[in-house]
Amino acid sequence: MARTPTELLSPADQQRRRSLSRMKAVALGALLFMALVFVFSFAFEQDVPALAYVRAAAEGGMVGALADWFAVTALFRHPLGIPIPHTAIIPNRKDEIGQTLGDFVETEFLRGDVVREKLEKSAIAARLGEWLAVPDHAERIAAEGSVMASSVLQALSDDDVQGIIEDLAREHLIDPEWGPPLGDWLSRIVTADAHRSAVDLGFDTIATWLEANHTSFTGLFSRRLPGWVPSLAHRFVDDAVYNEAIKFVAAVQADPHHPARVAIDGYLARLADNLQHDPATIGRLEDAKVSVFDSPRVRQLAGEAWNTAKTGLLASLADPKSALRQRAAAALSEIGERLTTDAALQRRVDVWVIDAAVFLVDRYRHDIASIITDTVERWDAEETTEKIELMVGRDLQYIRLNGTIVGALAGLAIYTIAHAFFR
């Protein structure tokens, strides 16, 4: 069921309606008062000639009041319901008024020079910096941004996002050939001796393991000896192998030019060259890559990556004490402080904001102004009339009241002049 105009009014509009009703009562009261004065003065004018002046003033007051009542009423509706031409102007010309208002806003307000002049006087960056520098404000922006980001994350389709991740991984990670880039990367590392730390770490790890795992050599080699060899020789063989391993690793650790290191360097150099130029090596790497990243596995990895990232982000965004929220608030506060103290940054931000605003206004001024036109066109004529009358009707009732007073003074002046010169 459609709501009545009264039900559509906001509390502020209802207050305006009460105020308008009071002013209408005052204006009507002034008209009735003039009518009573006219009746009284007309009735006793023969006995008291001076009442002729009062009667003339009352006549003028009634004429002024009625004329202004007609003029004010004609703006919003037909006086007394009579469809007199050029009345009910607002409901009959609502769309034209909206178009005119939109054109006026577009040509007078939505101009690049007007917007630029206004914004240049506003010190946008400095004011924004002062506001952001307050910790509570920065935290509020971080909180609102977190709510928006959470809403976006929850609105995203998991299947669509996983598909995008899968496509990106395939396009940028799986489909490209790995061999030449890896070979070039490895060649640069070997040339710069950047791999030596990794080699040192490897031998240090082996040495540590050997020291902690002497028993692992028990029977490792002696079990391969003939059965007729004495058991004492078995232990001697295992200890000899273990000690030789210890010595070998220690020698490699101590000598930067040990043959083992040279062999490793040569192997890495050959591997780097083969990865770049040997089709067989490149092919084996590609086969291994495809076997690891087959289609179902890529899909699974994409899903796991998205679910992990989404869960972590939602948890961090929802927790006011999370590192993400705190860092965001701290970053916003820091930006505010910089905007407050850094004059050069203020100028850059001001120029950027002003240029962006002027560009948007110049480019979309008609579209922005059309919001007014389109909105007024969608309004119901009765509702539009009601709202406009509530906004300006109270002041228009003063016109009726002033018309009553001016009419009375004019009637008195006309009668006095006529009586003085033509009696």
Side-chain angles (χ1 to χ4, degrees):
M1 183 176 65
R3 294 184 298 174
T4 63
T6 301
E7 293 174 330
L8 294 171
L9 297 179
S10 65
D13 285 340
Q14 292 178 8
Q15 177 61 35
R16 294 188 185 98
R17 166 172 276 189
R18 290 190 289 269
S19 179
L20 174 60
S21 298
R22 288 195 295 269
M23 281 306 305
K24 283 184 175 180
V26 171
L28 178 61
L31 172 61
L32 295 177
F33 175 75
M34 288 296 173
L36 290 175
V37 171
F38 172 78
V39 171
F40 176 82
S41 59
F42 184 82
F44 295 99
E45 181 180 355
Q46 298 296 329
D47 299 330
V48 183
L51 289 178
Y53 291 92
V54 178
R55 177 180 58 80
E59 286 179 342
M62 287 191 297
V63 171
L66 290 172
D68 286 342
W69 165 81
F70 182 90
V72 171
T73 303
L75 288 173
F76 305 102
R77 57 189 61 86
H78 297 299
L80 302 178
I82 303 173
I84 303 172
H86 303 293
T87 59
I89 294 173
I90 290 177
N92 289 334
R93 301 180 61 187
K94 170 180 68 70
D95 294 346
E96 183 179 347
I97 293 173
Q99 182 65 51
T100 303
L101 179 60
D103 292 343
F104 176 73
V105 171
E106 179 180 353
T107 56
E108 298 300 327
F109 294 95
L110 298 178
R111 296 206 322 261
D113 57 332
V114 174
V115 174
R116 183 179 295 278
E117 181 181 359
K118 178 63 177 178
L119 293 179
E120 285 177 346
K121 298 177 181 179
S122 300
I124 301 171
R127 292 185 177 182
L128 176 62
E130 292 174 358
W131 192 84
L132 279 178
V134 179
D136 289 344
H137 296 167
E139 292 176 1
R140 177 181 174 185
I141 295 296
E144 295 296 335
S146 298
V147 172
M148 294 178 60
S150 297
S151 300
V152 171
L153 285 174
Q154 292 173 345
L156 291 175
S157 169
D158 290 344
D159 291 337
D160 292 341
V161 175
Q162 291 172 13
I164 292 173
I165 295 175
E166 181 182 359
D167 293 341
L168 290 174
R170 187 170 299 281
E171 178 182 356
H172 298 286
L173 184 64
I174 301 173
D175 289 344
E177 198 173 54
W178 283 16
L182 285 177
D184 180 66
W185 175 72
L186 181 57
S187 177
R188 293 174 183 272
I189 290 178
V190 173
T191 303
D193 285 339
H195 66 293
R196 295 201 178 276
S197 296
V199 174
D200 291 339
L201 178 62
F203 280 106
D204 291 343
T205 303
I206 294 173
T208 302
W209 183 87
L210 287 172
E211 291 176 1
N213 294 273
H214 186 187
T215 57
S216 298
F217 280 78
T218 302
L220 184 63
F221 293 95
S222 60
R223 72 167 61 100
R224 294 177 174 81
L225 295 176
W228 51 267
V229 177
S231 59
L232 181 62
H234 288 200
R235 184 175 180 182
F236 175 78
V237 169
D238 290 335
D239 288 344
V241 172
Y242 174 76
N243 291 329
E244 286 300 322
I246 291 288
K247 292 177 181 178
F248 174 79
V249 173
V252 174
Q253 289 178 301
D255 185 2
H257 303 289
H258 192 276
R261 291 181 178 271
V262 174
I264 292 174
D265 293 347
Y267 170 77
L268 292 177
R270 290 191 302 274
L271 178 61
D273 183 70
N274 290 338
L275 285 172
Q276 297 180 78
H277 306 107
D278 181 26
T281 304
I282 295 174
R284 288 196 297 272
L285 179 61
E286 291 300 310
D287 292 340
K289 178 187 70 176
V290 171
S291 66
V292 172
F293 295 104
D294 57 1
S295 182
R297 193 170 301 173
V298 171
R299 183 71 178 178
Q300 181 182 1
L301 290 174
E304 292 176 355
W306 166 244
N307 290 332
T308 302
K310 180 180 179 180
T311 302
L313 282 173
L314 288 175
S316 296
L317 291 171
D319 184 6
K321 298 186 180 300
S322 67
L324 179 62
R325 288 275 294 269
Q326 291 180 347
R327 289 176 181 174
L332 289 170
S333 182
E334 182 179 352
I335 291 174
E337 292 177 358
R338 285 197 59 194
L339 286 174
T340 304
T341 58
D342 191 337
L345 181 59
Q346 288 179 8
R347 287 192 296 271
R348 289 197 298 271
V349 172
D350 286 341
V351 169
W352 182 84
V353 171
I354 292 172
D355 289 344
V358 170
F359 170 79
L360 291 175
V361 167
D362 286 340
R363 189 177 183 87
Y364 300 105
R365 56 189 297 184
H366 180 73
D367 297 320
I368 298 173
S370 66
I371 295 175
I372 299 174
T373 303
D374 296 341
T375 301
V376 173
E377 287 179 355
R378 289 194 301 269
W379 283 352
D380 177 74
E382 181 180 355
E383 182 183 351
T384 303
T385 302
E386 176 85 1
K387 288 184 175 296
I388 295 177
E389 185 176 15
L390 290 177
M391 293 299 297
V392 300
R394 186 173 184 274
D395 293 327
L396 294 178
Q397 298 309 310
Y398 280 107
I399 294 178
R400 291 179 56 188
L401 187 60
N402 292 337
T404 303
I405 298 173
V406 172
L409 295 176
L412 177 61
I414 292 172
Y415 180 82
T416 301
I417 293 172
H419 191 71
F421 289 98
F422 302 105
R423 185 174 56 178

